[in-house]
């Protein structure tokens, strides 16, 4: 997964049995990525780098994924609105930054 958007964006649903993470960058754009029908890679831990400048990123993940965020922001933020699973299938690590932008993760 490697997406970059400048003055544009995307709405995409990804279905895979082996999600391995990747990178999403937006500059004056946005990205909506639905991973709700995907399964995390076999090792159970993946990293997704998200960077937004004057833009936004929204992610939808399965309810059985644990999400951990390491994010820095300047007039922006990345919010984790997911519920914590009792028996997580795996962990999605979100790292990145936002400048006058941000994002949200839901399930």
């Amino acid at each position: 997964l490697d997406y970059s958007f400048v003055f544009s964006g995307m709405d995409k649903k990804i279905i895979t049995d082996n999600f391995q993470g990747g990178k999403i960058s937006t500059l004056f754009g946005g990205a909506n990525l639905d991973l709700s029908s995907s399964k995390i890679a076999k090792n159970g831990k993946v990293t997704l780098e998200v960077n937004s400048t004057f833009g936004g990123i929204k992610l939808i993940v399965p309810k059985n994924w644990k999400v951990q965020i390491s994010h820095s922001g300047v007039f922006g933020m990345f919010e984790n609105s997911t519920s914590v699973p009792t028996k997580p299938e795996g962990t999605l690590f979100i790292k990145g930054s936002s400048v006058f932008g941000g994002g949200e993760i839901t399930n």
Side-chain angles (χ1 to χ4, degrees):
L1 180 70
D2 189 4
Y3 294 113
S4 294
F5 301 99
V6 179
F7 292 103
S8 65
M10 77 159 182
D11 287 309
K12 187 165 187 139
K13 181 173 182 110
I14 295 179
I15 301 172
T16 180
D17 288 336
N18 191 28
F19 181 71
Q20 297 180 21
K23 182 177 180 180
I24 302 172
S25 298
T26 62
L27 175 64
F28 292 100
N32 294 315
L33 187 63
D34 184 350
L35 297 164
S36 61
S37 298
S38 295
K39 294 187 179 185
I40 212 154
K42 296 190 187 335
N43 67 4
K45 296 179 182 178
V46 296
T47 300
L48 182 62
E49 184 178 339
V50 294
N51 297 297
S52 62
T53 304
F54 292 98
I57 299 169
K58 182 174 182 181
L59 302 171
I60 303 172
V61 299
K63 292 185 180 198
N64 60 352
W65 287 13
K66 181 179 176 183
V67 176
Q68 291 186 345
I69 296 179
S70 174
H71 183 269
S72 60
V74 176
F75 295 107
M77 66 178 285
F78 210 84
E79 184 177 353
N80 183 359
S81 299
T82 61
S83 56
V84 179
T86 54
K87 292 186 179 183
E89 175 187 292
T91 303
L92 174 64
F93 295 96
I94 301 289
K95 67 176 188 172
S97 62
S98 296
V99 178
F100 292 99
E104 180 181 23
I105 304 172
T106 62
N107 53 13

